[in-house]
Amino acid sequence: MGWQLIRGYALLVYVFMFLPVAVVVLLSFNASQFGSFPITGVSLRWFGELAQNEAILRAFRTSIILGLLTALISTTLGVLASLALVRYRVPGENVISTLLIAPILVPEVVLAVALLLFLNFLGINKSFGLLLFGHVIFTLPFVILVVQARLMAIRRDVEEAAMSLGASPVQTFFQITLPLMLPAVLAGALFAFTISFDDITGTLFWKPGGVETVPTQIFAMLRNSISPEINALGTVMIVMTVGLPLLGAAVARILSRKSGT
């Protein structure tokens, strides 16, 4: 009886959390201009208007470019940092590791304000570079955690065997280490892209005037009125943010099976 109550309570919590998401998805297909129930008909009208909205398309392009650059930089730095901390003895290793993971522990709004005030103190104005820098700081710890966990599971003697057969450290990394840790690298990159694509708190502080990402564009549209296009845009965001991690998990599983680990 106790477990049934716990299951029922957990089910109610999940319904409470995901019911608003389901409502947004349903209303995005509503043929009526007014987002309310009952739904008068099913239509893709708002997705068509969404595809013709230049402001939203521009925000999508900005978010995708920003997300890709964030994923590329964060993944590269995360792999290098993980290799240094796991495979080599670095002075102050614990301190460095703590500093790299610290952005996860600090509330994002505090991190956003602190970075903005610090750069203003240095006389650096808001720019796309600042926005990219902030996203890299926030996503880098996630990449490091994922890659470090995978790297620790890779046996060191496999790399030593390759080097004993004449492979250089660079060849060993690209031919042995990187293929074995590739699922974690791809997962970290997807994490970084998804977090960057969804971020709004830091973006509101760091973005320059005239630059909008998809979350900030939705926020700006909500100030005026709740347009059915917002529901369609929300559905697209939900599909991307849920579909990408699932796709990444599937790819990581396939690569793990092929590598035999």
Side-chain angles (χ1 to χ4, degrees):
M1 190 66 178
W3 281 110
Q4 291 178 354
L5 290 175
I6 293 174
R7 291 192 186 99
Y9 179 76
L11 179 61
L12 290 176
V13 171
Y14 279 111
V15 170
F16 178 78
M17 290 175 59
F18 292 105
L19 186 59
V21 177
V23 169
V24 169
V25 174
L26 288 175
L27 290 178
S28 66
F29 295 97
N30 189 4
S32 174
Q33 186 175 359
F34 304 99
S36 60
F37 288 98
I39 295 177
T40 57
V42 178
S43 174
L44 297 176
R45 168 189 174 186
W46 306 115
F47 290 93
E49 294 193 8
L50 186 68
Q52 298 175 359
N53 191 316
E54 183 58 33
I56 294 176
L57 293 179
R58 186 165 54 249
F60 255 107
R61 287 193 293 267
T62 302
S63 289
I64 290 175
I65 293 173
L66 179 62
L68 290 175
L69 290 175
T70 300
L72 178 62
I73 298 173
S74 295
T75 304
T76 303
L77 295 178
V79 169
L80 294 176
S82 299
L83 282 172
L85 294 173
V86 175
R87 287 291 187 256
Y88 302 96
R89 292 185 177 180
V90 180
E93 176 181 341
N94 293 333
V95 176
I96 295 174
S97 180
T98 302
L99 290 176
L100 290 174
I101 304 301
I104 295 181
L105 307 177
V106 180
E108 187 179 0
V109 64
V110 176
L111 180 65
V113 173
L115 179 60
L116 180 62
L117 293 177
F118 177 69
L119 292 177
N120 284 339
F121 174 76
L122 297 178
I124 301 176
N125 297 323
K126 291 182 179 180
S127 64
F128 185 82
L130 169 61
L131 180 59
L132 176 61
F133 181 64
H135 279 217
V136 169
I137 290 177
F138 189 63
T139 57
L140 181 60
F142 294 94
V143 179
I144 292 176
L145 290 175
V146 173
V147 175
Q148 271 189 342
R150 177 61 179 167
L151 193 58
M152 289 179 180
I154 299 175
R155 296 170 54 183
R156 176 64 175 168
D157 53 4
V158 177
E159 299 169 330
E160 292 175 349
M163 288 187 285
S164 68
L165 294 174
S168 65
V170 176
Q171 290 175 323
T172 301
F173 172 75
F174 283 106
Q175 297 182 16
I176 304 296
T177 309
L178 184 59
L180 290 175
M181 62 191 294
L182 188 58
V185 174
L186 293 178
L190 282 173
F191 266 122
F193 178 84
T194 305
I195 293 170
S196 173
F197 192 86
D198 277 346
D199 184 78
I200 184 172
T201 305
T203 304
L204 287 174
F205 285 94
W206 300 326
K207 72 180 185 69
V211 175
E212 299 289 350
T213 62
V214 175
T216 60
Q217 183 65 36
I218 294 177
F219 184 73
M221 292 170 67
L222 286 173
R223 291 179 179 177
N224 300 323
S225 63
I226 301 179
S227 168
E229 292 181 27
I230 298 179
N231 295 324
L233 183 56
T235 300
V236 174
M237 290 281 292
I238 292 168
V239 171
M240 290 190 64
T241 54
V242 174
L244 282 177
L246 292 177
L247 177 63
V251 172
R253 184 174 300 177
I254 293 173
L255 292 175
S256 297
R257 289 176 180 176
K258 287 184 178 180
S259 61
T261 57

